[in-house]
Amino acid sequence: MATWRMRVIGGLLLLLMVGMCSPVCVEVLSGTEAVQGQNMTLLCISCMQREEVYAVTNVEWYYEPSNGNRSLIYEYNEGKPREHMSQFKGRLMWIGSKDLQDVSLVLQNVTLMDSGRFICNVNRTLHFEQHQHYTTSNVEIFLTVSKIQKEDFTSVLSEIMMYILLAFLTLWLLIEVVYCYRKISKAEEVTQESVTDYLAIPSENKESCQVPVEEQ
């Protein structure tokens, strides 16, 4: 219990420290499994090494099906998003951040035909005082689309553990209730027996007799 409390306190302190500090870019991997008919976030985060340097960022999204014919489906150039003609036309939504470190897309109404490889290509031009520096980063997402959502083993295991814990707590509570009930009943029986014995003693002997009381 003490360890669990220390972890909770430590987590709260960490969140507080993160909130007090300036935002930090963290490159997180995108999900790779989508469900037919739902929306899928194609996550692409490319952090800048020097945030204080002025940079021009251009983003290109490509799609490559199993046959290997890669095509440009979306680009963000000079602050203007542009959706190219493809099977995704009208279903791609830009959700990138203002600093263009997050350049993700949302693929709406996913179909089984959307399975394949998505490539996020980020090109940056860093403008220093004396020169310009070019950087390129690529993120690949191998998307698999299924008709129904697959069960996550971790979530299933967590749910099973939760039910086991609830069953154990219920059994423990039931045992405690039965134990307390029997203890109270026993105490009442002892008290009743003591009172009965006391009443059975002749009145002339009651003054020198004390009703025994069981120590709890």
Side-chain angles (χ1 to χ4, degrees), residues 16-196:
L16 180 60
M17 293 176 63
V18 171
M20 295 174 61
C21 299
S22 58
V24 178
C25 179
V26 179
E27 297 185 2
V28 182
L29 297 178
S30 174
T32 58
E33 296 183 355
V35 181
Q36 182 181 11
Q38 298 185 6
N39 296 343
M40 176 65 187
T41 299
L42 303 173
L43 192 62
C44 180
I45 300 177
S46 178
C47 300
M48 292 179 56
Q49 301 299 322
R50 297 285 299 274
E51 297 183 18
E52 71 276 7
V53 177
Y54 173 73
V56 176
T57 303
N58 295 322
V59 182
E60 296 174 337
W61 276 92
Y62 295 89
Y63 171 70
E64 183 177 308
S66 57
N67 59 19
N69 295 325
R70 180 183 299 187
S71 60
L72 180 64
I73 61 174
Y74 200 96
E75 66 177 329
Y76 191 95
N77 190 3
E78 296 181 353
K80 297 179 181 180
R82 180 186 177 189
E83 190 175 3
H84 289 259
M85 184 61 63
S86 67
Q87 67 187 66
F88 310 103
K89 182 70 174 180
R91 295 192 292 132
L92 294 174
M93 181 175 64
W94 174 265
I95 57 171
S97 58
K98 292 183 179 180
D99 58 5
L100 295 181
Q101 297 194 84
D102 183 354
V103 292
S104 305
L105 294 176
V106 171
L107 176 58
Q108 300 174 326
N109 193 21
V110 177
T111 68
L112 296 176
M113 299 298 296
D114 295 339
S115 296
R117 182 169 69 158
F118 292 83
I119 302 97
C120 174
N121 187 16
V122 182
N123 300 305
R124 281 198 178 93
T125 303
L126 304 178
H127 293 265
F128 295 92
E129 293 183 359
Q130 303 297 331
H131 68 285
Q132 297 180 353
H133 180 68
Y134 300 93
T135 63
T136 300
S137 63
N138 293 281
V139 175
E140 296 185 358
I141 303 172
F142 294 88
L143 185 66
T144 302
V145 182
S146 58
K147 291 184 179 181
I148 58 176
Q149 188 170 2
K150 298 180 180 179
E151 290 289 345
D152 186 6
F153 177 76
T154 303
S155 61
V156 173
L157 182 60
S158 300
E159 188 174 355
I160 293 175
M161 293 300 296
M162 180 187 66
Y163 284 121
I164 293 176
L165 180 60
L166 287 176
F168 173 78
L169 291 176
T170 303
L171 180 60
W172 175 80
L173 181 59
L174 181 61
I175 293 174
E176 285 291 324
V177 171
V178 173
Y179 172 75
C180 292
Y181 175 77
R182 294 184 61 182
K183 188 174 181 180
I184 294 173
S185 299
K186 185 178 180 180
E188 290 179 350
E189 290 177 359
V190 172
T191 303
Q192 185 66 31
E193 291 177 358
S194 300
V195 172
T196 302

